[in-house]
Amino acid sequence: MSAAHSVLHAVFGYAQFRGPQQAIVSHVIGGGDALVLMPTGGGKSLCYQVPAIVRQQAGHGVAVVVSPLIALMHDQVGALHEAGVSAAYLNSTLSYEETQEVEWRLQGGDITLLYAAPERLNTPRFLGLLDDLHAQGKLSLFAIDEAHCVSQWGHDFRPEYRALTLLHERYAGVPRIALTATADALTRADIVERLQLEEARHFISSFDRPNIRYKIAEKKDVSNQLLRFIEREHEGEAGVVYCQSRKRVEELAQTLSQAGIAALPYHAGLPAEMRQQHQDRFLREDGIVMVATIAFGMGINKPDVRFVAHVDMPKNIEGYYQETGRAGRDGLPADAWMAYGLSDVVNQRRMIDESPAEEEFKQVMRGKLDALLSLAEATDCRRVRLLSYFGEQYGQPPDEDGRPLQSAARSTCGNCDNCLAPPALWDGTDAARKLLSTIYRVHEMSQLTFGAGHIMDVLRGKDTDKVRQYGHEKLSTFGIGKEYSEPQLRAVMRQLLATGALGLHKITSENSGYSFDTLSLAEGSRAVLRGEVEVQLREAVAASRSKSSKRAAKPNVAAASLGPDAQVRFINLKAWRAEVAREHNLPAYVIFHDATLAAIAERNPATLADLQGINGMGAKKLEAYGAEVLRVVGG
Ligand code: ADP
Ligand code: ZN
């Protein structure tokens, strides 16, 4: 057995490496540089933790893990301690004395993995320390976690990451492994350039998350839609609800709480202690729903998040994928649910238009938004589209060098809303042409642009004050769209905005100062008007379709297949785990995952030997908890 395998078994208690882990681990142990692209939950941590342990045992010293996730370092280090690995962190939360102690341990060669915030790499004091270690050959590797933070194209640019270039220059010869869960081609190229990883081997995994079910619904009354979704499908389970604004976060958290759901708000405007407290509760307690802005979640490695909901549309597919990826890290079934409507399209466009960025940058952002809109409007498999955005054909995962494996591409996944219940379609080509003609005529007559409401009124031949004020009832297009309902026309507009046939213009009223968005024809409108493109739309789903009754209380997903006796053992084990976690001030999953507890409950062990080989039961944990576990299942 290789050194890497013994570490995997003895320290982490896992039987096998997953996917490309083994190739990555041996490359880095051998001293090579690596760029690792792996989806959330794919198992990135082991890719540097195992090499760090193996290289330390071989006398190479400490591995430095650069991570922006300061709030999580305590738990990450705690998890390593639980597994019997010597680890520490350096960040702004430590006192002077604590920092000094870590530095002494570091100099004494007592630390295998050191987590450090990126800004440390800019301090002469820390660099001096690394210089000394390097001079003695005691720097075993650098791991750069969340590597997309180095790129301004990523959704989470951190200027401090730019300083990481110095690692290559100053510590030549020390292997570097950069890891991220999001990187389209642009971001990926940027990472390679910024971190000088030209020589690194690339390990690109399939980005598919087969256990996540994607669902995108039309937004109607979103708080109610969300409530029904949680009550029906995720009662008592942990989840994250993403909102665009702080105000919405607070309102929704309250609505959910009033409905008896254990919901907590999280956004950057809340006091730091409250944020920390809410995050701790989310990680440590069972079944908390976090209602949050995107300020929440980076690196939250809670494995049993059963759903991620977006009540507002995110900025782009990278963000959507990163956020939804926080569901189901444990590999058990999970949902990604999003509601979106015309207002989302309008808001996102406006945010881009009004941002002070360069035009070139705005163009990139618009392109990214368009890709997300076409995902939302799609009538075919969501997974196929998501993966193709990341350059992957579904069913043809790339090999470790990023080349597609030779197998047939697939066009359906069987685990998204469109695959499970193919939507009825209607041909919106005629409606789209009428809508565009109306916008054209109205502008021609009045030399003004108008909002969606007024355009629909003209098209549907409604007699309103505004129609008469502008004389729009005289237009040839007045009333030519009588047969279309407002929801249908909204769907047409969303699609036309998504495909670039329509553009938005902001108008500010001189009287009230109130501003609103108006519609105008854009580049793509010609092809639609000429009848060169078809506009296929999903049939609006009647709200009554969702009247199916509440699901019966369902057991924890990890324990779903256990018999009644094993269920009792599972529940007892969970109660015991909660106590241990509290004593150690760590999240429960750091002690044992649900899946490990379920496996113990199923095996019904009588001796320590019976516990061996259970996934997640490493040597240190067996020694520390084995006897206790036997007592708990023994009753
Ligand atoms: P990522 O950082 O890629 O999102 P993690 O490193 O947090 O993923 O791993 C996700 C989960 O999978 C963790 O709970 C981890 O313990 C588990 N895991 C990783 N590798 C393996 C493996 N080889 N066998 C079993 N479980 C694994
Ligand atoms: Zn599908």
Side-chain angles (χ1 to χ4, degrees):
M1 191 164 36
S2 71
H5 270 103
S6 354
V7 167
L8 183 74
H9 297 304
V11 178
F12 297 96
Y14 295 141
Q16 281 146 358
F17 283 112
R18 240 193 228 161
Q21 277 177 337
Q22 172 153 16
I24 298 166
V25 161
S26 41
H27 181 71
V28 176
I29 290 175
D33 291 342
L35 172 64
V36 173
L37 272 74
M38 205 185 258
T40 313
K44 282 184 287 301
S45 321
L46 283 191
C47 296
Y48 58 83
Q49 288 171 345
V50 172
I53 298 166
V54 172
R55 284 178 65 86
Q56 204 269 350
Q57 287 169 351
H60 291 295
V62 62
V64 178
V65 184
V66 181
S67 164
L69 311 172
I70 291 177
L72 298 172
M73 286 182 182
H74 171 263
D75 290 352
Q76 286 169 324
V77 166
L80 286 165
H81 283 166
E82 289 292 321
V85 181
S86 159
Y89 60 87
L90 280 177
N91 65 34
S92 52
T93 66
L94 295 187
S95 67
Y96 184 81
E97 289 73 29
E98 288 167 326
T99 304
Q100 210 165 39
E101 200 207 314
V102 172
E103 289 170 353
W104 282 330
R105 286 175 57 202
L106 202 55
Q107 282 160 335
D110 177 36
I111 295 175
T112 304
L113 280 128
L114 177 77
Y115 286 77
E119 42 291 2
R120 287 279 142 172
L121 272 308
N122 285 327
T123 66
R125 176 171 170 147
F126 186 60
L127 287 174
L129 223 86
L130 293 187
D131 290 347
D132 286 348
L133 290 169
H134 185 49
Q136 303 159 38
K138 293 293 180 193
L139 268 183
S140 79
L141 63 94
F142 288 104
I144 301 153
D145 207 0
E146 313 290 347
H148 60 274
C149 291
V150 79
S151 168
Q152 63 162 325
W153 304 120
H155 46 86
D156 198 31
F157 174 50
R158 310 242 171 166
E160 314 88 78
Y161 261 62
R162 289 286 161 92
L164 298 181
T165 323
L166 72 80
L167 295 181
H168 180 53
E169 289 152 9
R170 195 156 172 152
Y171 307 112
V174 178
R176 292 171 305 141
I177 169 171
L179 312 101
T180 175
T182 24
D184 55 5
L186 205 59
T187 313
R188 194 183 304 171
D190 221 16
I191 295 176
V192 169
E193 189 193 324
R194 300 283 176 186
L195 295 179
Q196 298 178 357
L197 284 167
E198 287 86 357
E199 309 278 294
R201 188 156 157 206
H202 294 198
F203 295 90
I204 299 164
S205 308
S206 166
F207 265 59
D208 188 22
R209 299 288 311 280
N211 60 316
I212 296 183
R213 178 172 291 183
Y214 299 97
K215 301 174 177 173
I216 302 181
E218 200 179 321
K219 198 188 273 191
K220 284 175 200 126
D221 169 3
V222 78
S223 329
N224 264 318
Q225 284 174 294
L226 178 70
L227 249 177
R228 268 185 279 136
F229 165 71
I230 296 177
E231 286 178 348
R232 209 169 285 142
E233 308 194 30
H234 293 287
E235 198 166 12
E237 295 181 331
V240 184
V241 177
Y242 281 111
C243 310
Q244 200 61 250
S245 71
R246 298 173 181 185
K247 185 161 158 270
R248 172 96 107 183
V249 165
E250 300 197 357
E251 288 165 0
L252 256 186
Q254 197 170 21
T255 309
L256 295 184
S257 303
Q258 279 162 357
I261 293 166
L264 296 172
Y266 189 105
H267 61 68
L270 294 174
E273 317 85 75
M274 186 187 277
R275 285 206 306 267
Q276 186 64 43
Q277 192 203 350
H278 288 186
Q279 175 170 307
D280 286 347
R281 284 193 58 195
F282 177 76
L283 293 175
R284 283 159 171 70
E285 292 176 27
D286 269 343
I288 301 271
V289 174
M290 192 69 110
V291 185
T293 60
I294 53 168
F296 178 73
M298 248 278 250
I300 290 292
N301 40 16
K302 184 176 169 64
D304 56 354
V305 175
R306 294 270 67 86
F307 70 91
V308 169
H310 284 93
V311 294
D312 298 308
M313 195 172 68
K315 278 192 184 56
N316 52 43
I317 292 186
E318 286 95 323
Y320 171 76
Y321 209 64
Q322 175 105 356
E323 284 141 33
T324 55
R326 292 173 185 144
R329 278 182 188 237
D330 52 12
L332 299 168
D335 274 320
W337 182 88
M338 174 165 99
Y340 107 111
L342 190 57
S343 59
D344 289 301
V345 185
V346 172
N347 288 340
Q348 293 287 5
R349 285 250 184 225
R350 188 168 42 205
M351 282 200 302
I352 296 172
D353 292 343
E354 288 176 1
S355 88
E358 303 273 311
E359 191 49 37
E360 186 196 3
F361 185 82
K362 289 186 185 182
Q363 272 313 333
V364 175
M365 291 298 141
R366 284 194 197 104
K368 289 186 174 222
L369 173 62
D370 288 346
L372 178 59
L373 289 173
S374 59
L375 171 74
E377 287 293 336
T379 52
D380 52 1
C381 179
R382 311 269 191 205
R383 192 178 308 274
V384 168
R385 287 192 174 242
L386 276 169
L387 292 175
S388 91
Y389 180 80
F390 293 108
E392 185 180 335
Q393 285 197 309
Y394 182 52
Q396 293 190 311
D399 69 10
E400 63 193 37
D401 293 317
R403 289 181 301 254
L405 292 174
Q406 293 309 309
S407 54
R410 290 161 59 189
S411 61
T412 55
C413 74
N415 196 26
C416 74
D417 52 0
N418 287 349
C419 283
L420 289 164
L425 301 182
W426 64 282
D427 186 346
T429 314
D430 174 67
R433 292 171 73 180
K434 287 178 173 164
L435 190 93
L436 293 174
S437 317
T438 303
I439 292 169
Y440 179 79
R441 296 279 169 228
V442 161
H443 182 256
E444 190 184 44
M445 176 183 241
S446 308
Q447 297 300 310
L448 283 172
T449 53
F450 292 85
H454 181 66
I455 298 293
M456 286 195 287
D457 287 345
V458 176
L459 188 54
R460 299 175 70 214
K462 278 212 197 151
D463 181 18
T464 68
D465 290 348
K466 198 164 183 178
V467 165
R468 261 181 281 136
Q469 181 192 344
Y470 289 100
H472 288 164
E473 76 279 7
K474 296 187 207 97
L475 289 171
S476 62
T477 57
F478 185 72
I480 58 169
K482 274 203 182 66
E483 70 268 42
Y484 299 114
S485 68
E486 229 182 90
Q488 281 179 317
L489 291 176
R490 283 190 183 276
V492 174
M493 282 191 272
R494 282 201 313 266
Q495 175 106 183
L496 293 175
L497 279 164
T499 55
L502 274 183
L504 288 171
H505 273 281
K506 195 166 122 134
I507 303 277
T508 307
S509 153
E510 281 176 15
N511 302 331
S512 61
Y514 180 74
S515 60
F516 57 101
D517 291 283
T518 61
L519 296 165
S520 62
L521 299 192
E523 194 62 22
S525 62
R526 259 176 256 144
V528 180
L529 282 166
R530 284 201 219 107
E532 288 165 6
V533 287
E534 269 188 28
V535 182
Q536 283 293 330
L537 297 155
R538 54 172 64 233
E539 200 83 70
V541 187
S544 63
R545 220 190 61 201
S546 40
K547 65 174 183 294
S548 64
S549 61
K550 228 174 178 175
R551 273 205 225 166
K554 65 183 174 118
N556 179 297
V557 265
S561 63
L562 299 179
D565 290 350
Q567 285 285 356
V568 173
R569 289 192 286 274
F570 179 72
I571 290 165
N572 291 338
L573 284 165
K574 268 181 84 168
W576 164 80
R577 180 183 66 179
E579 256 169 59
V580 177
R582 240 190 320 276
E583 269 167 33
H584 293 211
N585 186 26
L586 285 171
Y589 65 82
V590 164
I591 311 298
F592 286 118
H593 280 191
D594 282 1
T596 303
L597 295 189
I600 298 171
E602 183 165 25
R603 191 173 289 188
N604 194 12
T607 66
L608 286 178
D610 293 342
L611 283 171
Q612 242 149 21
I614 285 182
N615 229 13
M617 184 66 81
K620 173 80 191 298
K621 288 191 180 176
L622 184 65
E623 184 193 311
Y625 302 124
E628 278 287 279
V629 165
L630 293 179
R631 183 187 60 75
V632 175
V633 294

